[in-house]
Amino acid sequence: MNNISGPIAVFDSGYGGLTVLEELRKKLPNNDFIYLGDNARAPYGTRSFDIVYEYTLEAVKELFSMGAHLVILACNTASAKALRTIQQKDLPNIDSNKRVLGVIRPSVEYVAEITKTAKVGVLGTTGTVQSLSYPLELKKQSSNIEVYQEACPMWVPLVENGESNKAGTDYFVKQHIEKLLQLNSDIDTVILGCTHYPMLMDKIKLYTPEHINILSQGSIVANSLVDYLQRHPEIDKRCTRGGSVQYYTTENADKFKQTAGFFLKQDIEVTQINLFQ
Ligand code: DGL
């Protein structure tokens, strides 16, 4: 088992993880990747702990069976609700040589370094906000950081339905930015704690004062993975290098191709798979 090599897998409930995949490919252009979006069951953000864990574990097992030995949960909701159980309880039984990593830890490490006012805003799904993962993890980085959260339940459905650039979306973006910033006028850093949200970046910037730093996770996660692979050469040497990406979705392949192609600005091949029997 130890010597088996394969692509790095990137998983999200839907299209959001593509914002992370893009940055991973920039930093690791020679690596092979598999992307899986569970679009048929997105959004995850309003689902219970048990369901998010169950769906995420199904996806991780599927990605392992496709040959991946390293899975990045490019989904905050899955990272908040499923990652720890998968790492601690499931991986030792599945294959202790395989790894599953999330997006929250690298994000909070970076945010803690750059905030000057120590007032940080988090925009996320209802599930991520209710899990309190960001406040808890940020407090571990620095006990004087104050964290203000706002759940944006409409944002993922808008992205999943191809509405990111439509005029009606402005209402929902403006509403949540204003609510977040009303919580404390000294917030200087806002983390987009959902990988779908960078797809709304143009509109988010429109309603956020310029002095506030808005952070997408893609490049933060990519830098963190490069660092992780340097520190774990035994994992790195099992990553195949051919510069390829295979895209999978649990929804209709043509639909994924159309929406994902819009964000990736390229034509892609997509395969539909079933995670549930
Ligand atoms: N991209 C996922 C995240 O980062 C979206 C969650 C959802 O499906 O609601 O949380």
Side-chain angles (χ1 to χ4, degrees):
M1 276 305 230
N2 254 357
N3 297 324
I4 291 179
S5 49
I8 297 173
V10 178
F11 170 69
D12 182 42
S13 61
Y15 299 110
L18 294 171
T19 62
V20 174
L21 175 70
E22 280 299 276
E23 297 298 327
L24 291 175
R25 291 186 69 198
K26 281 187 203 157
K27 288 271 153 41
L28 300 165
N30 300 321
N31 280 69
D32 293 317
F33 291 94
I34 304 178
Y35 183 86
L36 171 60
D38 190 7
N39 301 75
R41 301 189 291 192
Y44 279 15
T46 44
R47 296 189 187 274
S48 69
F49 263 83
D50 289 354
I51 293 292
V52 172
Y53 163 64
E54 186 188 312
Y55 289 180
T56 306
L57 183 59
E58 282 173 358
V60 165
K61 285 182 175 168
E62 179 67 24
L63 289 163
F64 284 161
S65 77
M66 289 176 180
H69 62 281
L70 172 60
V71 177
I72 312 296
L73 300 184
C75 175
N76 290 267
T77 313
S79 298
K81 294 186 166 186
L83 178 63
R84 184 167 307 174
T85 315
I86 291 176
Q87 284 176 331
Q88 292 178 358
K89 186 176 134 271
D90 300 299
L91 270 186
N93 296 325
I94 299 171
D95 182 344
S96 57
N97 293 307
K98 296 192 188 284
R99 296 287 180 274
V100 181
L101 304 174
V103 289
I104 295 178
R105 178 65 71 82
S107 304
V108 297
E109 284 172 359
Y110 184 76
V111 173
E113 262 176 38
I114 67 158
T115 176
K116 297 213 164 39
T117 60
K119 311 275 186 297
V120 171
V122 177
L123 296 166
T125 65
T126 306
T128 299
V129 165
Q130 283 177 351
S131 75
L132 298 178
S133 295
Y134 275 94
L136 293 169
E137 291 293 329
L138 273 161
K139 284 275 175 212
K140 282 188 207 160
Q141 298 296 316
S142 169
S143 57
N144 67 341
I145 289 187
E146 290 172 25
V147 184
Y148 300 91
Q149 303 195 96
E150 169 72 4
C152 316
M154 285 301 291
W155 289 15
V156 170
L158 286 166
V159 170
E160 286 289 310
N161 289 293
E163 295 287 321
S164 302
N165 292 330
K166 306 282 171 60
T169 299
D170 285 62
Y171 168 81
F172 294 100
V173 171
K174 183 170 182 280
Q175 178 192 45
H176 290 298
I177 304 271
E178 284 179 355
K179 277 170 87 179
L180 176 72
L181 298 180
Q182 273 162 16
L183 296 175
N184 191 306
S185 55
D186 284 339
I187 292 173
D188 71 343
T189 308
V190 172
I191 177 91
L192 303 185
C194 171
T195 54
H196 280 69
Y197 295 176
M199 290 172 174
L200 298 169
M201 189 56 116
D202 289 348
K203 293 196 188 292
I204 292 170
K205 280 193 173 150
L206 205 58
Y207 299 107
T208 309
E210 256 177 49
H211 71 277
I212 296 178
N213 212 341
I214 307 164
L215 300 178
S216 315
Q217 296 172 300
S219 59
I220 300 170
V221 173
N223 285 334
S224 166
L225 183 63
V226 169
D227 178 58
Y228 176 87
L229 292 173
Q230 275 164 4
R231 287 184 289 109
H232 294 90
E234 76 286 1
I235 305 285
D236 187 41
K237 69 170 186 263
R238 290 163 61 204
C239 295
T240 53
R241 286 167 169 81
S244 72
V245 190
Q246 298 165 57
Y247 295 90
Y248 296 91
T249 176
T250 53
E251 243 280 8
N252 177 280
D254 287 335
K255 185 175 174 223
F256 186 93
K257 193 174 149 91
Q258 209 184 352
T259 309
F262 173 71
F263 292 110
L264 297 170
K265 314 250 181 312
Q266 69 183 63
D267 204 20
I268 55 171
E269 288 303 312
V270 185
T271 308
Q272 181 175 6
I273 58 164
N274 202 355
L275 288 178
F276 36 95
Q277 302 311 320

